[in-house]
Amino acid sequence: MKTSLPRKTLVSLWLLGILIGIGSLFWYQSWIYLLPTPLPPDYHEVALGSTLASELLQTRKCNKPLFLHFYNPDCACSRFNRRHFQSLVKLYQAQVDFVVVLLSQKNYSEAFIQKDLNLHLPVLHNDQLASICGVYSTPQAVLIDTNEKLFYRGNYNRSRYCSDEQTSYAKQALGRLLRQSQLGAFDELAFKAYGCKLPSCKN
């Protein structure tokens, strides 16, 4: 005669299975965001210090550095980064022009992105800017000086929530540019892109 497991045991096993599944999913999500973004096969490096040729730069009249925030609202890494980016805008908006570069296959409106970020900034839907600046993942920060030269391109932080002040790379780059100093040395994590590959990337 077969005996079935007690109901409490079945419920406990069911709950245990759910917990294991949630834990595994959380571990996997954490793990994939620690991996560098794969380099696209057609990627062309844009060296720091390069003069960038872009209509956006040619039509700018304001003599301020330009900060490009490469953003995809569908990328979890961009969402993790949101609060930190907001803090940079509030801290430096009087000295720096901030522009959001939307990289998404969805046709998000400027108003939607401004509400999503809770910031009233210009929003450009321009895939070519990523190529011009050598960007192949989101989120990425690009800082261009008043001579239209690429001063910094890289990550915001080694921590996906941008909570490590010692590796607040984009913030440090902003400070150095505004002090009219050199970019200086950063560790390799500043420049090795992490996050979500661009929607246009095929690999």
Side-chain angles (χ1 to χ4, degrees):
M1 180 177 177
K2 294 182 179 180
T3 57
S4 59
L5 291 172
R7 185 174 179 180
K8 287 185 178 180
T9 302
L10 290 173
V11 171
S12 297
L13 290 172
W14 179 69
L15 290 174
L16 181 62
I18 291 176
L19 288 173
I20 291 173
I22 292 173
S24 298
L25 181 61
F26 180 79
W27 175 85
Y28 176 74
Q29 291 291 327
S30 298
W31 176 71
I32 61 174
Y33 294 133
L34 292 174
L35 297 176
T37 306
L39 195 68
D42 58 347
Y43 177 70
H44 297 287
E45 178 72 28
V46 180
L48 297 181
S50 300
T51 300
L52 303 180
S54 166
E55 287 186 15
L56 169 68
L57 301 175
Q58 293 169 359
T59 57
R60 291 178 71 243
K61 297 179 181 179
C62 188
N63 191 30
K64 293 181 182 179
L66 177 64
F67 190 109
L68 300 179
H69 175 55
F70 288 84
Y71 180 69
N72 181 355
D74 301 316
C75 171
C77 295
S78 286
R79 295 194 295 271
F80 299 152
N81 163 264
R82 187 182 294 147
R83 184 174 296 179
H84 179 67
F85 177 63
Q86 291 168 343
S87 72
L88 293 182
V89 174
K90 291 175 183 177
L91 189 61
Y92 293 107
Q93 61 185 344
Q95 302 161 277
V96 178
D97 282 344
F98 287 88
V99 174
V100 178
V101 182
L102 176 63
L103 296 172
S104 173
Q105 292 179 328
K106 297 180 182 178
N107 191 26
Y108 291 112
S109 67
E110 181 178 62
F112 176 89
I113 298 301
Q114 290 174 340
K115 183 177 180 180
D116 183 54
L117 290 171
N118 196 26
L119 292 167
H120 190 72
L121 297 175
V123 178
L124 301 177
H125 200 156
N126 187 335
D127 292 343
Q128 290 183 347
L129 275 175
S131 177
I132 289 169
C133 297
V135 169
Y136 59 94
S137 74
T138 55
Q140 285 279 282
V142 166
L143 185 55
I144 302 167
D145 68 17
T146 54
N147 295 315
E148 301 178 3
K149 293 184 182 296
L150 180 61
F151 186 80
Y152 174 78
R153 177 199 58 248
N155 299 312
Y156 284 86
N157 201 292
R158 65 184 285 176
S159 164
R160 65 177 178 172
Y161 292 105
C162 299
S163 56
D164 186 351
E165 191 64 27
Q166 290 187 337
T167 60
S168 188
Y169 304 120
K171 182 178 179 179
Q172 292 172 21
L174 268 170
R176 293 174 190 180
L177 176 58
L178 293 174
R179 290 193 300 270
Q180 297 183 342
S181 64
Q182 299 296 317
L183 179 62
F186 284 129
D187 62 54
E188 64 176 9
L189 291 178
F191 304 110
K192 186 178 291 186
Y194 289 82
C196 303
K197 68 180 183 180
L198 304 190
S200 58
C201 293
K202 302 303 180 184
N203 68 329

